[in-house]
Amino acid sequence: FSIDVFKMLDLGVSVNHIHDKLASLSSLQKDFVPFLLNFLREQTSQILTNGPSTPAKTPNSKAHGSQRTGSERRTGHASSSRVQLFSPRTSVTASLPVRRGRRRGSSSVGASGRQGARDLGCSLAEEEDGKSDSASWSGGRRKSSGAPLVSARSPPSQLNLNNLEEFPPMGAASGWAKSKPSRRINPTPVSAERPLSKPKTCFTSTPVSRSPAAHWSAGSSPEAFAAVQEGNLSSVMSNSLQEEREMLKKERYSLRISFDPGTPTKPSYTRSASLPAESHLVTCANPAKVSCKKQLECLAQLYSSCIAENLVPNIFLELFFVLQLLTSKGTSTAEDGDSDPEINVSGRQHFESVHNCVYFAVRVLDYQFEIISHLEKGMLKLLAENERISSFSPTLHKRLRQAYESSTAKVSLLLPCSVQSVSFQPETDNRSNFPSDRAFQVFKKQRDIFYELLREWEDNHEKTVWDFERVLGSKIRAMMAHLSATCNHSRFARLFQKQLIQMCKGPIGGGASWGDTPDQDVLNMLGSDNLSRLKRLQERFVVPQSIRGPCPPPSFPGCQQFFRDFILSAGSYQFNQHLVDSLCLKILELNGLTLVEHDHSDGETDMEEQDEKKRFTVALLSLRLLAKFLGFIVFLPYRTAEQPAGDMPDSALVLRNQTLPVLDILKLLRQSIRDQRSILTIPWIVEYLSLVDHVAPFLDYYRKVFGLLLLMVLSEDKEMSFLNKLLILAVLGWLFQVELFLLCCILSAFPSFSHQDFVPLVDQQLLYTCCPYLSELRKLLASFVAGSGGKNGGFIRKITPTAAESLAPKASVTQQKLQVDLEQAFFHNQPPSLRRTVEFVAERVGSNCVKHIKATLVADLVQRAEAMLQDKVKEEDVNHDKLLEEVCTHLYEEGAQALIKGREFCKKKGPEAVRVLLPEETSAAVLSSAESIAVELATEKACGWLSANIAALIKREVKATFNRMLKVPGFPLPGVDAVELRRDCPPGCQHCAPFPSQMINEIKYVLCVAVGPREEGEVVDYVWLECLLGRLSQTLRCRKFMCPTAEQQLAKCTVELASLLVSDRVPLSLGIKSSEKSPERLRGKNDPTSGLLKLLFSIWKEDFGTSVPVQLIFSKKNVGYLTEAKQREWDLFLFLLHGLTEHELMRTSEIQSCLHSLEELPWPSVSN
Amino acid sequence: MCLITVDQSQSTLLSIFSQEYQKQIKRTHAKHHTAEAIETYYQRYLNGVMKNAAAPVLLDLANEVDFAPSLMARIVLERFLQEKEQAIPSKTLISSMLRDPSQIPDGVLANQVYQCTVNDCCYGPLVDCIKHAVGHEHEVLLREMLLEKNLSFIAEDQLRAKGYDKTPDFILEVPVAVEGHIIHWIESKASFGDESSHQAYLQDQFWSYWNRFGPGLVIYWYGFIEELDCHRERGILLKDCFPTDIVTLRHSMAQR
């Protein structure tokens, strides 16, 4: 269905044909609906006003405004400004008929209808105003999210939402009439006596404003209001309408009189009246006592038609109203009426008794059975168990019962998930993704700080004394400063956004309260029985049971608070900009999921359908979350506490009309309507728009968006799944209510704007706004949307892979295009799953191909580079960068092989995967085409990437390896042979050798004794030392626990030991035999020390896997030891030198050069 | 596999001693690094070696003022080089000289420094190396156990090669549940988990791992203060040995 503006208008105009009743009143139609609704509200006001609501006095609007905290947008509408906004109304409306003639379809639209809507809208907006006061998200300093305060609202109208008895939360507390005590948390109504209880010219089921000033602004007398209205009306109204309105007006006045504070009919409501105490007042509704049945039936039909034809902006609001009537309890006045049922004649109320109200409500419910039957099971249960329904309409009762029994629409909320981190992905997060080491290091720190903040918030935010800005503000800003210094904002913004989705998409944190299937992991752990119990218990604790109102202002519940406050505390332009980018990117990605009508003929299984629904739900939830934050940031700079005064908006408008929005939501919205996926798009656009600033709705751009959305409500798309429709209607209903005032302003302030087509529709939308259970219904809807798609043409999601840049331009452009067209054509008549499979395979194989090349070809090259580097780096004074460049250049040529290997890989793996994934029965031709497309796409993706990046990749990897090489502790110093011999344990090694750490420890002990200072008589036992060297040999042979640093240390220590031995520094104890000089001592053969040295030669030669720095023997320090030794030790030194050469540990020439260099050192004049 | 059993309680005691000693050194570190102190030490060293170059001058000095000998050697070496080069020497140069005193241009100082590093029980290149080796050995032991249990993992060096910025010893490719807690990574600590070291590890390592890989397990092979194991719910699990109660995705491996 392609809805354009004109089509929409047609739909709007088609109001004419909707219903006989309406048709008969076609001249009045635009006025009729608002009047009908107002009439109903007024009529029922008495019965519903037993618990009055708004405070008596008219507070100073200025004072009220000043109490508001800065940034809440809707908060700041000073009531006084509202009056001004309304004042030009008369002229506005008067001019409308002239204009409307220009537009097709609008001729039938009475301007007075608009006016009515405007009246209504404005007063609703006023209510909004007061309400939103509570939901301030200013500056992150206020921790109160909407919920607790929202419940504090009291309706300005006849409805007392705070009375649980009257307004039981949906899906709970069945059988209120039995005065079953509510187990819900009592809301805290702010209420006071309302001496000037005025009849409302608008219907307001909205639980609203604590500020009565909002309703009756300056000069707030009913007469003044009526006068304004009358003026409007008279200018445009036809005679018959005029008469009708006069009638209604009279009625209103008579009501007003009856509500006069002076009249003692209305008992004062006190908050202290507890529920059980009040419950005895409930009148037992009796069908026999119903009066004016005919009139009521007529009204019920009219009303139901309006609902059925979407003439009400928010059907749920109407349902709420009807349920209010159904559950109303009699007041004393009403009871009085009971005794005298036939008094109600024209000019009197039709709804003055509970019996009449219930009768009407049951009639309407009967008419609206289709919608009701789509509600959640718990709700149906309550309705089915309702005694009033069963007594007033056994048939409806029966139908409800059946609906309940057959309903599977159980709604449950997910358990709140605990905080999880965003995982580190080397592909995107490792050093090679950063411009500099510093940027990498800084981001590493920022990530940790971010989670630290999150943990701190998690631990403390619920404490009363804890203040986000005070505790975390400066930390966050310090973090921002660091990010700025290294230009890491985009990276951090991405982390932020991912974490946001991770934490907040769930129902509690997300506040959207969408149902979902339980987590499979949890299910496995607990078993489904226990889980459902746990969940029910959990829900009772965590899900707010108090009525939050039909239309809570946009808020940031749960974890979202953290992210909102973070943004506010950071106050970083760069961060916000990058976050906006990141959010837009993700939104576009998610919104780009193609929703394909599910085709049952292609044999897709239920399982797949379920998966698709689940994915759709996830996407939708994420989109709404992201869009809300996007809206928050985008409109943040323009957010003002007060409605801009005077010319401000104009100048702002002129400028802001020139700028383009960050995300073209109008385009996306139009696309979504065209492509029939508005079910995905509208809900998030609504979230985005719910955060607009004061001025934005006046902008041409957003006016178009709002206009289009308004038209959407009227679009009767027969093909659309019923529940899809319900969702769209619900979110739009909510938005219009939240934005009502703004829309109102648009119309008031821009009477001549060019999109008049929208105006009549706007009127109708604005007229019917109220939706008590909206948030509850939204929960229901989510699961329904997710759970109903299959039968009613539900939606499946498809990932559209991003097209890879084509490689070498092998074919001409036209050829390529032809190929693409052919490919599209190929898919066109195939089941959608084929395309998904092919695209999926291509995407995965392409990606795997790159990984494979990295792991094989590149890894090999890097290894070779490592060897080359290791050789060259030992050369003194090498320029590392230059060296690196040299080595890499060598490798680039071979890197070109990557493309060949990549192609091979894709050609091999692609078909395999496609074959496995496609149905067995796929025809050979289709299969081979699918395979070749998959291979083609995969190759394109992989080789495209490789050809562009292989050189950089090689360089990056080589560089990383080189850096690691240089950083390895104990990296051999220049001059020390670095080649480490990679060895394995000897065959049959039991890995029983002492640990290297132990050996170092023991040798350290020997060195300690040798170096001194030592105790008198402290010696090293020769045998023990011999044994130690033996164990050292074992340790070195077993490679299992050896690490390079330990081995190098051991090598060094043993060389030191040898030096100390030949210098006679080690006090060896030989037991009985003393080390008297033997004749052969020259060769040192029998000298015990030489025995140890021989052991060392063998260990150095045979056991070490690393090179032994034997040249340290000739270090100044060690030769110094020697110089202090006696003659014998010089013999040992000679023995050592012989040993070194014999064991090929050093060449003679090396020894000579070492000895030569010793000569250059300053030696004491006296030497041995 | 057989391994040399180190007397566990002795190692634990040694580890605790080492930690306490380090705490004490940290407390007094500043005191020994004032300009006055450095000058005093240097002069005392010069006087000492003038009298008798073979005497353990530096070591005695360190013991006398209750400071780690290696660190005393560093102070004096730094001061010595400063005087000789007329410039502040780089940290790397000093470290390199401590590792290999032969590079020290003065033979007497080289001997003195070497004596200090060899005699130091808690600081210095030798001790550092021993600690490193001990850590490595326990990692190898842990790896053995993981292999034995058939738990596939990615080891630290592989992780580093992939460019991870923070790397626990092992990341499990397939997470398991230990005592009912899901873990993604295991870190081996061949030391005793006392409060201060644990806090430092949490800050520098464990939370960072959590931030990247989710919950995980820390094994303090030489034991830990029980009260520190308080982040289990949040995702940091402490053990003093390889866990026995492991549940894998497919089947239970408990009590193996």
Side-chain angles (χ1 to χ4, degrees):
Chain A
F1 73 117
S2 152
I3 295 181
D4 58 15
V5 170
F6 295 107
K7 175 91 181 289
M8 295 287 231
L9 275 172
D10 283 338
L11 289 167
V13 170
S14 71
V15 166
N16 282 329
H17 325 294
I18 283 165
H19 196 277
D20 292 349
K21 299 279 176 189
L22 288 179
S24 68
L25 293 165
S26 64
S27 64
L28 303 177
Q29 58 165 330
K30 290 303 157 194
D31 276 333
F32 177 74
V33 178
F35 275 109
L36 172 66
L37 295 178
N38 275 342
F39 176 72
L40 288 174
R41 260 60 172 190
E42 285 162 14
Q43 285 279 300
T44 56
S45 62
Q46 190 183 20
I47 211 87
L48 296 175
T49 327
N50 54 337
S53 37
T54 42
K57 64 175 182 139
T58 303
N60 185 321
S61 60
K62 294 287 184 197
H64 179 70
S66 68
Q67 286 163 5
R68 296 171 189 144
T69 51
S71 39
E72 171 60 288
R73 183 172 36 79
R74 269 168 299 280
T75 301
H77 303 307
S79 316
S80 53
S81 66
R82 218 164 275 125
V83 182
Q84 289 166 352
L85 280 164
F86 289 124
S87 51
R89 241 181 340 194
T90 312
S91 58
V92 167
T93 31
S95 67
L96 278 169
V98 183
R99 296 174 184 284
R100 79 182 169 203
R102 281 198 251 136
R103 297 279 168 182
R104 164 187 170 220
S106 56
S107 56
S108 62
V109 175
S112 55
R114 272 195 293 276
Q115 187 49 54
R118 212 164 290 139
D119 295 345
L120 171 65
C122 291
S123 32
L124 281 177
E126 286 156 1
E127 288 151 13
E128 269 309 304
D129 167 53
K131 175 170 63 181
S132 50
D133 200 10
S134 60
S136 160
W137 29 268
S138 62
R141 277 77 164 171
R142 299 251 316 240
K143 287 193 288 150
S144 59
S145 67
L149 285 168
V150 168
S151 62
R153 293 175 212 142
S154 64
S157 65
Q158 300 85 342
L159 303 179
N160 175 17
L161 282 179
N162 298 312
N163 187 327
L164 287 180
E165 208 55 34
E166 266 187 289
F167 307 105
M170 219 178 239
S174 64
W176 60 272
K178 283 177 270 179
S179 74
K180 197 169 152 190
S182 168
R183 47 170 196 256
R184 254 147 228 94
I185 299 155
N186 285 347
T188 320
V190 176
S191 63
E193 177 62 4
R194 194 180 53 163
L196 290 165
S197 100
K198 301 167 187 88
K200 297 301 167 249
T201 27
C202 56
F203 60 91
T204 45
S205 305
T206 328
V208 242
S209 155
R210 288 179 291 168
S211 137
H215 303 283
W216 301 100
S217 39
S220 63
S221 75
E223 288 73 18
F225 186 81
V228 171
Q229 201 168 44
E230 203 171 70
N232 297 337
L233 295 171
S234 58
S235 67
V236 287
M237 246 189 269
S238 69
N239 276 343
S240 58
L241 179 60
Q242 185 67 51
E243 277 167 24
E244 175 108 4
R245 297 207 71 173
E246 284 300 330
M247 258 170 61
L248 286 167
K249 226 163 55 183
K250 276 177 193 157
E251 201 149 34
R252 262 206 311 270
Y253 281 123
S254 67
L255 285 173
R256 245 171 249 156
I257 290 154
S258 74
F259 280 130
D260 191 275
T263 44
T265 47
K266 199 164 59 69
S268 70
Y269 172 83
T270 49
R271 207 199 154 252
S272 57
S274 65
L275 292 175
E278 271 183 286
S279 61
H280 73 274
L281 293 171
V282 173
T283 315
C284 182
N286 185 349
K289 289 187 180 173
V290 176
S291 61
C292 323
K293 267 194 186 175
K294 207 179 137 202
Q295 288 93 326
L296 287 173
E297 173 60 31
C298 181
L299 280 169
Q301 279 185 31
L302 282 171
Y303 184 55
S304 298
S305 303
C306 292
I307 295 175
E309 297 300 333
N310 282 342
L311 294 180
V312 295
N314 195 330
I315 51 176
F316 303 103
L317 189 63
E318 300 309 320
L319 283 180
F320 181 70
F321 171 68
V322 170
L323 291 177
Q324 281 178 327
L325 289 178
L326 179 70
T327 57
S328 63
K329 52 187 181 184
T331 60
S332 48
T333 344
E335 290 313 303
D336 292 344
D338 281 346
S339 57
D340 214 357
E342 292 310 318
I343 280 180
N344 290 320
V345 284
S346 147
R348 296 299 309 259
Q349 288 202 78
H350 296 109
F351 291 95
E352 75 172 4
S353 76
V354 170
H355 321 292
N356 284 12
C357 287
V358 173
Y359 177 78
F360 175 81
V362 170
R363 290 309 299 143
V364 175
L365 288 175
D366 200 18
Y367 286 120
Q368 298 305 324
F369 183 75
E370 194 189 3
I371 295 172
I372 292 165
S373 66
H374 278 84
L375 296 181
E376 167 241 6
K377 192 167 185 170
M379 171 81 183
L380 288 173
K381 182 168 188 270
L382 292 172
L383 286 171
E385 286 173 355
N386 189 291
E387 285 176 345
R388 284 180 169 178
I389 292 178
S390 59
S391 67
F392 275 72
S393 172
T395 24
L396 177 60
H397 172 71
K398 204 176 151 201
R399 288 167 81 193
L400 284 167
R401 190 101 237 131
Q402 282 167 353
Y404 163 63
E405 276 156 12
S406 61
S407 169
T408 52
K410 273 190 178 170
V411 168
S412 68
L413 299 176
L414 269 179
L415 297 173
C417 61
S418 58
V419 178
Q420 276 190 325
S421 61
V422 171
S423 80
F424 180 95
Q425 292 298 327
E427 291 79 25
T428 52
D429 296 342
N430 73 12
R431 166 65 185 87
S432 48
N433 293 287
F434 289 82
S436 68
D437 269 329
R438 174 139 186 272
F440 181 57
Q441 294 301 331
V442 166
F443 185 65
K444 177 169 104 180
K445 279 197 200 96
Q446 300 321 314
R447 179 195 286 264
D448 287 329
I449 294 171
F450 177 59
Y451 285 107
E452 202 183 309
L453 298 172
L454 196 51
R455 273 189 287 269
E456 184 162 357
W457 176 83
E458 208 190 8
D459 286 341
N460 299 311
H461 74 280
E462 276 166 340
K463 295 177 187 161
T464 46
V465 289
W466 197 82
D467 180 88
F468 189 97
E469 167 57 28
R470 188 172 49 76
V471 181
L472 302 181
S474 56
K475 288 184 195 171
I476 289 171
R477 282 183 291 275
M479 180 178 186
M480 287 299 135
H482 273 110
L483 289 173
S484 299
T486 49
C487 304
N488 267 351
H489 285 289
S490 70
R491 197 162 289 280
F492 180 74
R494 202 164 58 202
L495 175 72
F496 188 89
Q497 175 243 302
K498 282 182 179 169
Q499 189 65 40
L500 173 68
I501 293 185
Q502 190 118 306
M503 280 173 72
C504 301
K505 68 179 177 198
I508 306 294
S513 304
W514 295 67
D516 201 349
T517 49
D519 194 323
Q520 197 57 41
D521 290 344
V522 187
L523 207 63
N524 290 342
M525 267 194 297
L526 293 169
S528 52
D529 267 14
N530 286 336
L531 183 72
S532 62
R533 259 182 240 154
L534 177 64
K535 279 178 66 157
R536 263 179 281 144
L537 182 65
Q538 183 106 15
E539 271 184 45
R540 199 173 293 178
F541 282 122
V542 295
V543 178
Q545 300 283 2
S546 59
I547 301 174
R548 298 186 56 206
C551 209
S555 65
F556 294 86
C559 300
Q560 294 179 24
Q561 240 182 85
F562 171 82
F563 294 92
R564 177 202 64 193
D565 291 348
F566 188 101
I567 292 168
L568 290 171
S569 280
S572 162
Y573 175 76
Q574 293 104 308
F575 171 61
N576 286 356
Q577 185 61 43
H578 284 285
L579 188 55
V580 163
D581 290 351
S582 181
L583 292 170
C584 289
L585 200 68
K586 191 72 189 170
I587 286 172
L588 288 172
E589 181 196 318
L590 290 172
N591 190 58
L593 304 175
T594 317
L595 299 171
V596 180
E597 191 146 351
H598 209 77
D599 183 3
H600 284 274
S601 63
D602 79 345
E604 307 269 359
T605 63
D606 281 350
M607 196 185 72
E608 187 175 332
E609 220 173 285
Q610 286 302 323
D611 284 351
E612 295 292 353
K613 283 177 205 155
K614 207 169 165 182
R615 263 172 282 176
F616 171 75
T617 307
V618 169
L620 189 67
L621 293 180
S622 302
L623 276 168
R624 283 168 57 88
L625 175 71
L626 296 171
K628 177 155 71 167
F629 273 87
L630 179 65
F632 173 64
I633 303 172
V634 165
F635 299 113
L636 184 62
Y638 297 107
R639 193 154 289 128
T640 46
E642 305 287 328
Q643 173 73 16
D647 291 341
M648 229 297 276
D650 286 337
S651 55
L653 279 170
V654 170
L655 185 65
R656 285 180 69 188
N657 267 332
Q658 305 293 315
T659 59
L660 290 169
V662 187
L663 194 62
D664 193 349
I665 53 166
L666 182 59
K667 194 180 99 193
L668 292 169
L669 182 59
R670 281 178 174 152
Q671 272 174 3
S672 78
I673 294 167
R674 195 189 60 218
D675 303 343
Q676 288 178 277
R677 40 191 194 99
S678 54
I679 185 63
L680 179 65
T681 304
I682 288 181
W684 71 256
I685 286 187
V686 163
E687 289 288 301
Y688 174 81
L689 292 175
S690 72
L691 288 159
V692 290
D693 60 284
H694 291 308
V695 177
F698 295 86
L699 302 177
D700 295 341
Y701 183 84
Y702 287 105
R703 221 158 42 188
K704 284 180 201 162
V705 175
F706 275 106
L708 190 50
L709 285 173
L710 286 164
L711 289 168
M712 278 304 289
V713 177
L714 270 208
S715 76
E716 183 68 27
D717 177 17
K718 303 291 182 200
E719 290 167 38
M720 203 180 216
S721 140
F722 192 80
L723 289 163
N724 284 359
K725 206 163 60 189
L726 282 186
L727 170 63
I728 289 184
L729 290 177
V731 293
L732 288 176
W734 175 75
L735 176 69
F736 296 145
Q737 191 149 348
V738 163
E739 296 303 329
L740 208 52
F741 175 68
L742 297 165
L743 291 171
C744 188
C745 292
I746 295 175
L747 299 175
S748 315
F750 293 87
S752 59
F753 80 91
S754 56
H755 296 276
Q756 271 186 18
D757 320 60
F758 297 173
V759 175
L761 295 162
V762 170
D763 271 44
Q764 280 164 332
Q765 309 316 313
L766 293 176
L767 268 168
Y768 311 108
T769 311
C770 294
C771 178
Y773 290 133
L774 196 72
S775 60
E776 250 67 30
L777 286 168
R778 265 186 6 205
K779 289 177 207 164
L780 305 179
L781 283 169
S783 61
F784 279 128
V785 167
S788 74
K791 228 178 172 183
N792 304 312
F795 295 109
I796 51 175
R797 187 191 78 139
K798 189 153 66 65
I799 296 165
T800 313
T802 48
E805 286 279 312
S806 91
L807 275 182
K810 32 186 187 216
S812 73
V813 180
T814 47
Q815 282 291 309
Q816 271 183 359
K817 190 179 178 300
L818 188 62
Q819 282 303 314
V820 171
D821 291 345
L822 280 172
E823 207 176 286
Q824 296 302 317
F826 168 70
F827 285 118
H828 187 257
N829 287 324
Q830 296 293 337
S833 63
L834 177 76
R835 187 190 198 125
R836 284 204 307 276
T837 307
V838 167
E839 285 171 346
F840 176 71
V841 166
E843 202 254 336
R844 293 322 309 156
V845 169
S847 167
N848 291 347
C849 173
V850 171
K851 286 196 184 106
H852 179 72
I853 298 290
K854 274 190 199 171
T856 54
L857 181 73
V858 175
D860 286 350
L861 291 175
V862 168
Q863 220 164 25
R864 277 175 41 200
E866 198 177 354
M868 286 155 78
L869 286 167
Q870 231 151 19
D871 285 340
K872 294 194 179 171
V873 80
K874 272 172 273 160
E875 294 160 16
E876 297 278 349
D877 300 325
V878 280
N879 179 337
H880 286 175
D881 287 342
K882 213 175 142 195
L883 181 62
L884 203 62
E885 200 57 55
E886 246 174 63
V887 170
C888 287
T889 323
H890 257 311
L891 302 172
Y892 290 156
E893 283 168 34
E894 293 180 59
Q897 279 193 16
L899 292 183
I900 301 161
K901 294 204 167 177
R903 245 173 235 125
E904 280 169 12
F905 182 92
C906 293
K907 208 167 178 179
K908 180 162 174 287
K909 297 288 178 180
E912 281 176 17
V914 171
R915 243 170 278 148
V916 170
L917 292 174
L918 287 185
E920 204 84 21
E921 291 69 30
T922 310
S923 84
V926 171
L927 187 63
S928 88
S929 301
E931 280 174 15
S932 56
I933 292 172
V935 169
E936 179 70 19
L937 288 174
T939 311
E940 205 171 294
K941 180 183 157 83
C943 292
W945 191 90
L946 285 171
S947 63
N949 295 298
I950 188 74
L953 178 66
I954 291 172
K955 185 169 180 188
R956 199 175 78 192
E957 295 290 313
V958 170
K959 193 174 173 188
T961 311
F962 188 49
N963 286 340
R964 272 202 301 280
M965 205 166 91
L966 292 175
K967 272 183 203 158
V968 166
F971 180 77
L973 299 156
V976 181
D977 191 9
V979 180
E980 193 182 311
L981 305 168
R982 285 258 159 247
R983 297 192 320 181
D984 293 323
C985 294
C989 175
Q990 297 291 301
H991 313 304
C992 297
F995 283 152
S997 59
Q998 199 189 334
M999 294 319 299
I1000 306 173
N1001 215 359
E1002 291 185 34
I1003 293 173
K1004 177 174 177 278
Y1005 164 75
V1006 181
L1007 295 174
C1008 253
V1009 177
V1011 172
R1014 51 178 175 258
E1015 306 278 315
E1016 191 70 32
E1018 194 176 5
V1019 288
V1020 175
D1021 185 76
Y1022 173 81
V1023 182
W1024 178 82
L1025 186 54
E1026 205 173 42
C1027 172
L1028 171 68
L1029 294 180
R1031 282 185 287 135
L1032 174 63
S1033 168
Q1034 286 174 32
T1035 298
L1036 288 167
R1037 279 161 191 267
C1038 171
R1039 308 305 299 172
K1040 182 157 196 152
F1041 295 97
M1042 190 57 72
C1043 63
T1045 29
E1047 191 164 19
Q1048 280 156 19
Q1049 189 64 252
L1050 282 169
K1052 210 182 212 171
C1053 287
T1054 48
V1055 173
E1056 294 287 344
L1057 180 63
S1059 282
L1060 292 164
L1061 280 171
V1062 294
S1063 324
D1064 197 24
R1065 290 287 186 115
V1066 185
L1068 287 175
S1069 109
L1070 298 168
I1072 317 145
K1073 260 189 100 177
S1074 75
S1075 65
E1076 278 315 301
K1077 297 168 178 81
S1078 77
E1080 282 171 302
R1081 73 186 149 88
L1082 190 71
R1083 300 298 298 169
K1085 271 178 190 156
N1086 291 334
D1087 192 290
T1089 308
S1090 60
L1092 294 172
L1093 285 175
K1094 272 190 256 177
L1095 271 176
L1096 280 173
F1097 292 146
S1098 150
I1099 289 169
W1100 288 340
K1101 175 76 186 158
E1102 307 294 335
D1103 300 332
F1104 270 102
T1106 184
S1107 65
V1108 181
V1110 279
Q1111 65 281 6
L1112 282 180
I1113 290 167
F1114 306 99
S1115 75
K1116 192 184 167 193
K1117 175 172 76 70
N1118 290 343
V1119 175
Y1121 294 148
L1122 208 53
T1123 55
E1124 294 158 22
K1126 292 171 243 144
Q1127 183 58 43
R1128 181 181 67 98
E1129 283 72 40
W1130 281 104
D1131 298 342
L1132 277 172
F1133 187 64
L1134 282 179
F1135 179 76
L1136 177 67
L1137 295 185
H1138 279 292
L1140 286 176
T1141 47
E1142 267 170 36
H1143 290 84
E1144 290 168 348
L1145 291 159
M1146 274 183 105
R1147 283 190 298 273
T1148 322
S1149 59
E1150 282 176 306
I1151 292 176
Q1152 277 168 350
S1153 81
C1154 283
L1155 291 173
H1156 278 302
S1157 58
L1158 281 176
E1159 285 171 10
E1160 290 160 22
L1161 296 169
W1163 291 105
S1165 51
V1166 183
S1167 82
N1168 298 6
Chain B
M1 194 196 85
C2 80
L3 63 122
I4 311 298
T5 32
V6 186
D7 186 351
Q8 195 66 32
S9 61
Q10 195 195 338
S11 309
T12 301
L13 283 175
L14 274 172
S15 180
I16 294 173
F17 167 77
S18 168
Q19 282 166 356
E20 291 304 317
Y21 183 75
Q22 285 175 54
K23 274 184 226 165
Q24 190 223 313
I25 294 297
K26 266 179 213 150
R27 275 197 298 275
T28 57
H29 189 268
K31 185 178 90 181
H32 297 293
H33 282 78
T34 59
E36 296 80 18
I38 291 173
E39 207 47 46
T40 317
Y41 299 152
Y42 188 55
Q43 289 308 323
R44 284 192 59 181
Y45 158 75
L46 289 179
N47 294 337
V49 291
M50 201 108 76
K51 279 182 210 150
N52 180 7
V57 180
L58 265 186
L59 187 62
D60 285 348
L61 177 61
N63 288 333
E64 188 194 314
V65 300
D66 220 2
F67 199 53
S70 294
L71 301 180
M72 180 59 83
R74 183 181 271 270
I75 291 174
V76 172
L77 176 62
E78 194 170 351
R79 177 69 185 74
F80 168 82
L81 291 173
Q82 205 177 322
E83 187 170 87
K84 191 162 176 287
E85 314 287 333
Q86 291 299 316
I88 310 257
S90 75
K91 279 215 155 50
T92 29
L93 178 68
I94 294 178
S95 297
S96 160
M97 286 182 170
L98 285 171
R99 268 202 306 275
D100 180 16
S102 338
Q103 295 173 34
I104 297 172
D106 181 279
V108 175
L109 183 57
N111 285 337
Q112 294 282 340
V113 166
Y114 191 62
Q115 194 174 43
C116 281
T117 56
V118 162
N119 276 287
D120 200 319
C121 61
C122 289
Y123 285 91
L126 260 129
V127 175
D128 287 347
C129 184
I130 292 168
K131 282 182 186 164
H132 178 87
V134 170
H136 176 77
E137 287 149 17
H138 281 87
E139 271 174 46
V140 175
L141 287 173
L142 178 54
R143 178 196 302 263
E144 287 298 304
M145 292 165 183
L146 288 171
L147 288 172
E148 197 191 324
K149 296 274 182 194
N150 238 339
L151 303 175
S152 77
F153 55 82
I154 313 172
E156 197 172 7
D157 42 353
Q158 291 166 281
L159 292 171
R160 271 208 200 104
K162 286 187 184 179
Y164 282 84
D165 58 353
K166 288 269 188 174
T167 50
D169 291 330
F170 301 100
I171 288 184
L172 300 173
E173 283 189 311
V174 182
V176 299
V178 169
E179 290 163 21
H181 297 270
I182 293 190
I183 59 161
H184 291 270
W185 49 266
I186 304 179
E187 175 79 1
S188 157
K189 286 282 170 236
S191 64
F192 179 78
D194 74 342
E195 202 175 345
S196 63
S197 66
H198 184 65
Q199 289 311 331
Y201 282 139
L202 273 176
Q203 187 67 31
D204 296 342
Q205 300 184 6
F206 307 154
W207 285 131
S208 295
Y209 302 155
W210 185 97
N211 297 342
R212 287 156 180 79
F213 317 111
L217 166 72
V218 177
I219 303 180
Y220 278 112
W221 295 103
Y222 296 154
F224 58 88
I225 297 173
E226 226 172 86
E227 283 78 3
L228 295 177
D229 191 12
C230 58
H231 294 298
R232 285 191 160 217
E233 296 308 317
R234 258 217 171 139
I236 309 272
L237 197 67
L238 303 188
K239 294 285 292 173
D240 62 359
C241 61
F242 193 77
T244 48
D245 176 14
I246 297 177
V247 178
T248 58
L249 204 55
R250 290 279 153 73
H251 56 281
S252 170
M253 292 175 56
Q255 307 310 317
R256 272 186 58 181

